[in-house]
């Protein structure tokens, strides 16, 4: 029981210690992939990228170097938790598959797919009807010293 309390306290300290300044944000299209670039340990609320009528809005980004049992971050790694909303404005049903349509890349050349951790509201994969919105959290495991984590979205 003592270890569980320690993780809970440590988890809260990690979230409280994150600096919430916006340094570098941009959206672009590169070979059919929409990109949102983030500065390290930054807050990125209300960012949007649009591609083919699909709008991905980043509501919040947090970092967690602990995770949640049984999905703890190994030493030297941290979770990037990206709270997003995805809206389908293209008039046709869109099949949202975040495991294959999103990833995180870093300046060091790494590319990281979604990684499981316990989330209060994970985003659900599946069909998104025209004019509908789905919301939830995406999670990625990246090296703790990764520079400039960048969300890749390729609908």
């Amino acid at each position: 029981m003592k270890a569980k309390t320690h993780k809970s306290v440590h988890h809260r300290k990690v979230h409280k210690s994150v600096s919430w300044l916006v340094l570098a944000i941009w959206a672009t299209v590169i070979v059919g992939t929409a990109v949102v670039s983030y500065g390290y340990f930054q807050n990125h609320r209300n960012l949007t990228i649009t591609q083919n009528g699909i709008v991905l809005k980043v509501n919040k980004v947090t970092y967690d170097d602990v995770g949640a049992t049984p999905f703890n971050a190994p030493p030297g790694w941290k979770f990037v938790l990206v709270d997003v909303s995805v809206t389908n404005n293209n008039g046709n049903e869109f099949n949202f598959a975040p495991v294959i349509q999103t990833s995180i890349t870093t300046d060091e050349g790494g590319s990281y797919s979604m990684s499981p951790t316990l989330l209060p509201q994970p985003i659900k994969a599946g069909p998104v009807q025209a004019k509908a919105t789905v919301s939830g959290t995406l999670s990625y495991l990246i090296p703790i010293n990764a520079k400039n984590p960048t969300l890749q979205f390729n609908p």
Side-chain angles (χ1 to χ4, degrees):
M1 189 69 154
K2 190 174 188 177
K4 194 171 190 177
T5 302
H6 172 71
K7 284 184 180 178
S8 178
V9 169
H10 179 70
H11 184 73
R12 285 191 299 263
K13 285 182 181 177
V14 168
H15 286 289
K16 288 181 181 177
S17 68
V18 176
S19 172
W20 299 111
L21 296 174
V22 175
L23 290 181
I25 303 166
W26 66 90
T28 187
V29 176
I30 302 174
V31 191
T33 300
V35 177
V36 176
S37 182
Y38 308 107
Y40 188 68
F41 279 121
Q42 306 305 312
N43 181 20
H44 311 284
R45 295 174 197 240
N46 302 316
L47 300 179
T48 59
I49 52 178
T50 303
Q51 183 161 337
N52 301 326
I54 307 301
V55 179
L56 183 138
K57 177 182 174 189
V58 177
N59 302 311
K60 182 178 178 183
V61 177
T62 55
Y63 295 84
D64 180 352
D65 65 354
V66 177
T69 302
F71 304 108
N72 293 331
W77 293 77
K78 66 182 173 190
F79 284 99
V80 180
L81 306 175
V82 187
D83 180 63
V84 299
S85 298
V86 177
T87 302
N88 179 358
N89 288 331
N90 75 4
N92 300 312
E93 182 178 276
F94 164 65
N95 189 24
F96 182 53
V99 170
I100 60 173
Q101 294 169 336
T102 69
S103 64
I104 295 279
T105 58
T106 63
D107 283 356
E108 296 80 18
S111 180
Y112 305 93
S113 298
M114 288 182 63
S115 296
T117 191
L118 296 179
L119 300 167
Q121 186 184 359
I123 197 157
K124 293 185 171 122
V128 180
Q129 300 301 317
K131 305 301 179 195
T133 299
V134 295
S135 298
T137 304
L138 305 167
S139 61
Y140 306 88
L141 192 59
I142 67 171
I144 206 157
N145 61 350
K147 303 287 187 265
N148 198 26
T150 304
L151 178 65
Q152 305 286 334
F153 176 55
N154 185 7

